[in-house]
Amino acid sequence: MKKLINDPRSVVDESVEGFGLAHADIVTVHPEPKFVTRKDAPVQGKVALVSGGGSGHEPLHAGFVGRGMLDAAVPGAVFTSPTPDQILPATAAVDSGAGVVHIVKNYTGDVLNFETAAEMAQAEGIHVRSVLVNDDVAVEDSLYTAGRRGVGGTVLVEKIAGAAAERGDTLEEVTAIAERVNSNVRTMGVALSACTVPHAGTPSFDLADDEIEIGIGIHGEPGRHRISMEPADAITDRLLGPVLDDLGIQDGDKVLLFVNGMGGTPQSELYIVYRRAAAILQDRGAAIDRSLVGNFVTSLEMQGCSISVLRLDDEFTDLWDAPVHTAALRWGV
Amino acid sequence: MKKLINDPRSVVDESVEGFGLAHADIVTVHPEPKFVTRKDAPVQGKVALVSGGGSGHEPLHAGFVGRGMLDAAVPGAVFTSPTPDQILPATAAVDSGAGVVHIVKNYTGDVLNFETAAEMAQAEGIHVRSVLVNDDVAVEDSLYTAGRRGVGGTVLVEKIAGAAAERGDTLEEVTAIAERVNSNVRTMGVALSACTVPHAGTPSFDLADDEIEIGIGIHGEPGRHRISMEPADAITDRLLGPVLDDLGIQDGDKVLLFVNGMGGTPQSELYIVYRRAAAILQDRGAAIDRSLVGNFVTSLEMQGCSISVLRLDDEFTDLWDAPVHTAALRWGV
Amino acid sequence: MVLDVQWAIAWLTLSAKAMTEHREELIELDRAIGDSDHGENMDRGFQAVVAKLAETPPETPGAALKLAAMALMSKVGGAAGPLYGTAYLRAATSMGDATELDGGALATALEAARDGIVARGKAELGDKTMVDAWSPAVEAAQAAAVDGPGPVLRAAAEAAAAGAVATDPLVARKGRASYLGERSAGHRDPGAASTALLLKAAADAAGETLPESPE
Amino acid sequence: MVLDVQWAIAWLTLSAKAMTEHREELIELDRAIGDSDHGENMDRGFQAVVAKLAETPPETPGAALKLAAMALMSKVGGAAGPLYGTAYLRAATSMGDATELDGGALATALEAARDGIVARGKAELGDKTMVDAWSPAVEAAQAAAVDGPGPVLRAAAEAAAAGAVATDPLVARKGRASYLGERSAGHRDPGAASTALLLKAAADAAGETLPESPE
Ligand SMILES: Nc1ncnc2c1ncn2[C@@H]1O[C@H](COP(=O)(O)OP(=O)(O)O)[C@@H](O)[C@H]1O
Ligand SMILES: Nc1ncnc2c1ncn2[C@@H]1O[C@H](COP(=O)(O)OP(=O)(O)O)[C@@H](O)[C@H]1O
Ligand SMILES: [Mg+2]
Ligand SMILES: [Mg+2]
Ligand SMILES: [Mg+2]
Ligand SMILES: [Mg+2]
């Protein structure tokens, strides 16, 4: 394991510290307990958005803190959800009285820790709503699992709900929009290589030189099944098919197409995947009205990608286009 | 070699096509000969900026085409500079009569191909100036080499000169600013792993599990020397020392600090490097007025980073802050 | 024989030792069907428990477990943090202010812990989670309650160890391993394994010598 | 004996074959001290030459080389593209409209090619570049000029091959390999190696049988 780190146990501390130094115009880093807030938090009268989860998915979530998106992000240890004693003060720090929406990726750990923090916040008089993101179609039998995971779609939920909060929507409205984004987005991912959690020191799974993992999450866990390496177009077909079927995308639909890198895949390859995905959508008669390509929800240095499709309506498109000013997404400002 | 590609020989074609589809609001892709222009090129009365080089450094250069930065980018094969018959039509396509600045990274191939194209363009009556970027302090004895390479600093030259062109500077002025940025920026890089050129199929060099290459360029070539793996802070010291010494950074200087990922290194690690670099600059009494962290000048999926420092003056800072709207850098618009 | 706060402190101290010693083994189990962090999380959490114990020494077993619950809740994170946090908190509540615990009180505390985990995590027996170690432990403890605290802990530890081994062939239906579907079979659940280690530490703290743990 | 356009076409065709056959070897040489693309670039370039030859068959050796120059310039890229492009263009210019070339004309054309490379690339002998293959080739060609074109090409090819081998111990001072400093010693220069292959193709096209190339 070769990494640009000093000590596996200080990775998150030092990285978040560096992040705060590099983006001091946008965020404030609170070191102990650790969380990151928008520089101007709490924003009076605005509903606040708080998200968080294990580290190792950068820029998710701290990279999305700022105007038009998150008010706070709570980073846990690598691939380990943060604890209530981080989530609670983050929630309190950004609440202006208008209430706080917790955006939680559906993993047992995230759900339990955010649940506890939300209860404690409610007890302190903060109005908290929680929205679970569960966009991963790789998890098929949700009856026999912990349910669909929250993966790439999280960025889209955070951007669109963040814009709704910024324009002055109420707590109920922001919650409803976040839930509506979640119901209209699906994702599926592939890994060409594993990643190495710093404190573990060995790759998260072993993959032969000609094998890939289909249906991975974002924690370096193995996927649903392992297949032989295939050309990018064939892999794209495998990922996008279930996404479109599950969403029921049909002729005339407008969509946002999001090709997300897992961290170690060059951008050029993401565009090769995008190219094929665009052709498939065109075949289905869907119009790609918006797009996003890059490393946004990563698994450390894993090679691979995920494809997300969000069914757009006019409100989603407007909110997507609304100004955003964060370290990792910025436009209109 | 596992890559999200279809055929090693179609990587650049398909990737640039996908790029064009994903960013159709910003760029136009010209397939044969291949180059990418700003959607609204030629911009009347504006000096145009053209850059290019081998592919494999994405988002450089096509990702920087758009308002406030490049008017055209010319991608060659992977790690192979483009040919005059691409550079010439790209130059002609964006010239509005105000002239064109070629921003050329200092490699024999890029220099020779751009030189030929510039001659041909001049012969067609287009006013062309060429600016060589050579910011790599790892190349020490420029007398006994092809001279310093152009690496990470290229982005800063393109952004600042692009803003100068956008505000209406003349051909001579834009050229002078680009040269001035180049004289005030230095860079040095490290590789923790090699990269694999698709058509080659094997890693660009062999590195033991506990070795790193110091002083690499951006073409997967080995560096100046190989050392044993060290903590991130020690590596940062090794890279930043020569950069600051060569630039002569001293108490009271204002700088832009740019930590660039080589493609396969997670963002969290870049921030760990940033943290240390910020501390070193603080020790020297220099103020980090602007910063940039991310994958901007890459070597495919190589793990590692480069650190660039640009000495700022008020004009550079204003031009850095000016609106830019490209696929990979965007603010103010 | 009864157990007091010294036993509780010894239990938690031995637990921390066990988590450090088995850190890599638990990471490796989690690597196979999870995300490689369970050993790291538990080790970090129990180091915090030990630090807190030194800071503010508790006066009753219940206070010791409550302190542990708080430290685990705030330092472990992931799924295991809230689950073990709840378990230790419920156990602490069931112990109340008692300074000494007999076999019955211990069995009841273990039951409260297990019920807390089930209430939070909604896992059923056979879902390949830590519940598969806790549930047999609780049953064995209840059966041994009349024999006193030593035998209770010994029975619980043995049953938990067997329960952890028995997760090997199961297909996970809760937690991160459930995403693997059939591929989760053939691996031991890391949470069940850590539960077995923690209950062994409880027995060790009471001076019980256990047979070699089953493989 | 004189050489005509058929020889020139055969030369370029055999060159293309050689670049395809030695593609991986040239990539491997470039991998060691460059960026792993030389074999790919040369192969791509000469495939384009062959395609152009089929499209518009040239009528003189000079026309054939000019066509090759244009194709190389527009398809090879990198350092080698403009350098070989210039070399072939200068050689073509030196051949003029001649339909047949004798030994002297060939030696002069090779000299023009070498001078073109030096004019563009500014490399000196010993800088570990393709010049280290071209320069001895030109000298050997000039010495053999009176013996006719076959011997000229044979001498050039043999000298180029020896020149390429002689780059092994050198420290590069031009091109990408120069960034490696001392580390470039101990590896053959890829451009010198491709030059040796191209000049061997020229001799092969003239029916000259060369001894096994030196290692
Ligand atoms: N719903 C649940 N009920 C009971 N135990 C669970 C549940 N979900 C997960 N676990 C336990 O938690 C363990 C994983 O803990 P850990 O690796 O620390 O957290 P994470 O899965 O968040 O990385 C599993 O091995 C399992 O025993
Ligand atoms: N200045 C120069 N003069 C002569 N030959 C050069 C010069 N620079 C590079 N070369 C030749 O070009 C070869 C490399 O070609 P190639 O790999 O195709 O281009 P690049 O270096 O741009 O990747 C070198 O092996 C060397 O022989
Ligand atoms: Mg975890
Ligand atoms: Mg090259
Ligand atoms: Mg885990
Ligand atoms: Mg090369």
Side-chain angles (χ1 to χ4, degrees):
Chain A
M1 178 189 68
K2 267 185 287 186
K3 288 175 179 287
L4 279 171
I5 63 175
N6 292 303
D7 173 347
R9 298 212 166 158
S10 64
V11 163
V12 176
D13 283 355
E14 293 181 5
S15 172
V16 174
E17 188 186 332
F19 176 82
L21 292 169
H23 305 290
D25 52 329
I26 306 179
V27 300
T28 304
V29 168
H30 304 255
E32 193 51 53
K34 189 173 303 305
F35 59 96
V36 177
T37 57
R38 216 174 128 154
K39 191 101 208 150
D40 55 353
V43 181
Q44 282 317 312
K46 192 182 88 68
V47 170
L49 261 69
V50 175
S51 192
S55 291
H57 310 302
E58 291 70 24
L60 191 80
H61 294 273
F64 301 124
V65 170
R67 179 177 153 199
M69 217 161 160
L70 297 180
D71 294 80
V74 192
V78 174
F79 292 166
T80 301
S81 42
T83 59
D85 70 332
Q86 298 171 263
I87 303 167
L88 176 63
T91 303
V94 297
D95 180 39
S96 72
V100 180
V101 180
H102 282 177
I103 297 182
V104 184
K105 302 193 294 304
N106 188 35
Y107 296 97
T108 308
D110 292 77
V111 171
L112 294 180
N113 286 287
F114 270 93
E115 203 171 80
T116 306
E119 266 172 45
M120 293 159 83
Q122 296 276 16
E124 293 187 9
I126 303 173
H127 301 291
V128 178
R129 295 285 174 282
S130 296
V131 175
L132 273 194
V133 183
N134 59 352
D135 55 320
D136 186 358
V137 293
V139 180
E140 286 153 5
D141 322 306
S142 52
L143 263 184
Y144 302 105
T145 64
R148 285 181 163 172
R149 297 171 286 211
V151 286
T154 314
V155 184
L156 311 183
V157 174
E158 293 178 0
K159 168 66 184 84
I160 292 175
E166 202 74 44
R167 75 174 172 190
D169 282 17
T170 64
L171 183 59
E172 302 314 325
E173 287 165 344
V174 174
T175 307
I177 288 221
E179 278 166 353
R180 203 154 62 76
V181 176
N182 182 56
S183 333
N184 283 284
V185 65
R186 297 291 187 282
T187 302
M188 189 151 160
V190 63
L192 272 57
S193 72
C195 57
T196 300
V197 176
H199 64 243
T202 38
S204 59
F205 48 79
D206 304 308
L207 208 51
D209 274 356
D210 59 347
E211 286 177 341
I212 59 178
E213 285 277 342
I214 298 283
I216 49 145
I218 56 172
H219 295 86
E221 65 269 51
R224 284 298 281 204
H225 52 279
R226 183 168 288 194
I227 62 168
S228 292
M229 184 61 194
E230 291 182 345
D233 284 358
I235 293 173
T236 304
D237 296 353
R238 277 185 196 275
L239 300 183
L240 192 54
V243 164
L244 296 181
D245 290 345
D246 203 275
L247 259 185
I249 289 296
Q250 50 194 28
D251 204 49
D253 277 341
K254 295 175 180 177
V255 302
L256 183 157
L257 173 59
F258 172 26
V259 177
N260 173 59
M262 301 309 296
T265 284
Q267 241 185 44
S268 47
E269 297 180 21
L270 301 181
Y271 284 114
I272 291 178
V273 170
Y274 185 95
R275 172 182 169 276
R276 174 66 172 195
I280 298 173
L281 279 160
Q282 193 174 17
D283 275 356
R284 290 229 186 180
I288 305 176
D289 269 12
R290 294 293 181 274
S291 66
L292 186 67
V293 182
N295 291 312
F296 293 101
V297 183
T298 63
S299 291
L300 296 170
E301 71 286 341
M302 178 180 277
Q303 290 186 294
C305 74
S306 66
I307 307 180
S308 301
V309 173
L310 167 67
R311 186 190 281 109
L312 288 173
D313 59 26
D314 290 346
E315 182 172 34
F316 283 175
T317 306
D318 282 353
L319 291 169
W320 179 257
D321 289 345
V324 59
H325 185 175
T326 69
L329 268 195
R330 182 170 174 185
W331 55 74
V333 62
Chain B
M1 177 190 69
K2 265 184 290 185
K3 289 176 179 289
L4 278 170
I5 63 175
N6 292 303
D7 174 348
R9 298 211 165 158
S10 65
V11 163
V12 176
D13 284 355
E14 293 180 5
S15 171
V16 174
E17 188 186 333
F19 176 82
L21 292 169
H23 304 291
D25 52 329
I26 306 178
V27 300
T28 305
V29 169
H30 304 256
E32 193 52 50
K34 190 174 301 306
F35 59 95
V36 176
T37 57
R38 216 175 126 155
K39 190 104 209 147
D40 56 353
V43 181
Q44 281 318 310
K46 191 184 88 69
V47 170
L49 262 69
V50 175
S51 192
S55 291
H57 309 302
E58 290 70 25
L60 192 80
H61 295 273
F64 301 125
V65 170
R67 178 175 156 201
M69 217 161 159
L70 299 179
D71 294 81
V74 192
V78 174
F79 293 168
T80 301
S81 43
T83 59
D85 71 329
Q86 298 171 262
I87 304 168
L88 177 63
T91 303
V94 298
D95 180 39
S96 71
V100 180
V101 181
H102 282 175
I103 297 181
V104 183
K105 301 192 296 303
N106 188 36
Y107 296 97
T108 307
D110 292 78
V111 171
L112 295 179
N113 286 287
F114 269 93
E115 205 171 80
T116 306
E119 268 172 43
M120 294 160 83
Q122 296 277 13
E124 293 187 9
I126 304 173
H127 300 292
V128 178
R129 294 286 173 282
S130 295
V131 175
L132 274 193
V133 182
N134 59 350
D135 55 320
D136 186 359
V137 294
V139 180
E140 285 152 6
D141 322 307
S142 52
L143 265 184
Y144 303 105
T145 64
R148 284 180 165 174
R149 296 172 286 211
V151 287
T154 313
V155 184
L156 311 183
V157 175
E158 294 179 358
K159 169 65 184 87
I160 292 175
E166 201 75 42
R167 76 175 171 190
D169 282 16
T170 65
L171 183 57
E172 303 313 325
E173 288 165 344
V174 174
T175 307
I177 289 221
E179 279 166 351
R180 203 153 62 76
V181 177
N182 183 54
S183 332
N184 283 282
V185 64
R186 298 289 188 282
T187 302
M188 189 151 160
V190 63
L192 272 58
S193 72
C195 57
T196 300
V197 176
H199 64 242
T202 38
S204 59
F205 49 79
D206 305 307
L207 209 50
D209 274 356
D210 59 347
E211 285 177 342
I212 59 178
E213 285 277 342
I214 297 283
I216 49 144
I218 56 171
H219 296 86
E221 64 270 49
R224 286 296 285 203
H225 52 279
R226 184 169 288 196
I227 62 168
S228 292
M229 184 60 195
E230 292 182 342
D233 284 358
I235 294 173
T236 304
D237 296 353
R238 277 185 195 274
L239 301 183
L240 191 54
V243 164
L244 297 181
D245 290 345
D246 203 274
L247 259 184
I249 289 295
Q250 51 194 26
D251 204 48
D253 277 342
K254 294 176 179 174
V255 302
L256 183 157
L257 173 58
F258 171 26
V259 176
N260 173 60
M262 300 309 296
T265 283
Q267 242 186 42
S268 47
E269 297 179 22
L270 301 181
Y271 284 113
I272 291 176
V273 170
Y274 185 95
R275 171 182 170 276
R276 175 65 172 195
I280 298 172
L281 280 160
Q282 192 175 19
D283 274 356
R284 290 230 186 178
I288 306 175
D289 268 13
R290 294 292 181 275
S291 66
L292 186 67
V293 182
N295 291 312
F296 293 101
V297 183
T298 62
S299 291
L300 296 169
E301 71 286 340
M302 178 180 275
Q303 290 186 294
C305 73
S306 66
I307 307 181
S308 302
V309 173
L310 168 67
R311 186 191 282 107
L312 287 173
D313 59 24
D314 290 346
E315 183 173 32
F316 284 174
T317 306
D318 282 353
L319 291 169
W320 178 257
D321 289 345
V324 59
H325 184 174
T326 69
L329 268 196
R330 181 169 175 185
W331 54 75
V333 60
Chain C
M1 182 196 165
V2 287
L3 295 176
D4 59 9
V5 69
Q6 288 318 317
W7 161 78
I9 291 174
W11 175 20
L12 296 170
T13 309
L14 288 178
S15 295
K17 205 163 146 254
M19 291 302 106
T20 300
E21 273 172 24
H22 296 270
R23 178 181 164 277
E24 283 174 31
E25 180 187 321
L26 294 173
I27 285 177
E28 191 51 36
L29 291 178
D30 200 26
R31 188 175 91 93
I33 56 170
D35 58 353
S36 313
D37 62 354
H38 189 60
E40 177 73 12
N41 296 348
M42 295 300 289
D43 186 25
R44 184 178 57 241
F46 272 95
Q47 295 318 315
V49 169
V50 168
K52 282 250 185 130
L53 282 176
E55 225 174 276
T56 38
E59 313 225 314
T60 61
L65 289 203
K66 185 168 178 200
L67 174 154
M70 289 327 208
L72 295 175
M73 195 84 94
S74 80
K75 287 294 170 208
V76 176
L83 292 171
Y84 277 122
T86 304
Y88 282 65
L89 196 61
R90 297 276 182 104
T93 309
S94 119
M95 291 173 182
D97 294 332
T99 52
E100 300 190 323
L101 306 169
D102 62 13
L106 265 182
T108 305
L110 291 176
E111 187 184 6
R114 192 267 319 268
D115 291 350
I117 291 168
V118 171
R120 290 305 303 267
K122 313 271 181 324
E124 291 173 17
L125 201 64
D127 281 355
K128 195 176 182 116
T129 70
M130 56 173 72
V131 171
D132 295 338
W134 279 99
S135 275
V138 168
E139 274 172 40
Q142 286 167 333
V146 289
D147 306 331
V152 161
L153 293 175
R154 180 196 182 100
E158 285 181 20
V165 172
T167 63
D168 290 7
L170 299 178
V171 172
R173 294 183 166 201
K174 277 283 182 290
R176 197 177 292 287
S178 69
Y179 304 129
L180 287 180
E182 301 289 335
R183 291 175 82 185
S184 61
H187 300 277
R188 188 157 309 167
D189 177 63
S194 61
T195 294
L197 291 168
L198 296 174
L199 293 182
K200 176 172 185 304
D204 286 347
E208 293 290 320
T209 337
L210 292 175
E212 273 295 290
S213 69
E215 221 1 77
Chain D
M1 182 197 168
V2 287
L3 296 176
D4 59 7
V5 68
Q6 288 319 317
W7 162 78
I9 291 173
W11 175 19
L12 296 170
T13 310
L14 289 177
S15 296
K17 205 164 145 252
M19 291 302 106
T20 301
E21 272 171 26
H22 296 269
R23 178 181 163 277
E24 282 176 30
E25 181 186 322
L26 295 173
I27 285 176
E28 190 53 33
L29 291 178
D30 200 25
R31 188 175 90 95
I33 57 171
D35 58 351
S36 313
D37 61 356
H38 189 58
E40 176 73 11
N41 296 349
M42 294 301 288
D43 186 26
R44 182 177 58 239
F46 273 94
Q47 296 318 315
V49 170
V50 168
K52 280 250 186 133
L53 282 175
E55 224 173 276
T56 40
E59 312 224 315
T60 61
L65 290 202
K66 184 165 178 203
L67 174 154
M70 290 324 206
L72 294 176
M73 197 85 94
S74 80
K75 287 295 171 207
V76 176
L83 292 171
Y84 277 122
T86 304
Y88 282 65
L89 195 60
R90 296 276 182 104
T93 308
S94 121
M95 290 173 182
D97 294 333
T99 52
E100 299 191 326
L101 307 168
D102 62 12
L106 264 183
T108 306
L110 291 175
E111 188 185 5
R114 191 267 320 267
D115 291 351
I117 291 167
V118 171
R120 292 304 305 266
K122 312 272 182 320
E124 291 171 18
L125 202 63
D127 280 355
K128 196 176 184 117
T129 70
M130 57 173 70
V131 171
D132 295 340
W134 278 99
S135 276
V138 168
E139 274 172 40
Q142 285 167 337
V146 290
D147 305 332
V152 161
L153 293 176
R154 182 198 183 98
E158 285 181 21
V165 172
T167 64
D168 290 6
L170 299 177
V171 172
R173 292 181 168 204
K174 279 282 181 291
R176 196 176 292 287
S178 69
Y179 304 129
L180 286 181
E182 301 289 334
R183 291 175 82 185
S184 62
H187 300 278
R188 188 156 310 167
D189 176 63
S194 61
T195 293
L197 292 168
L198 296 174
L199 292 182
K200 177 172 185 301
D204 288 347
E208 294 289 320
T209 337
L210 293 175
E212 274 295 291
S213 70
E215 222 358 78

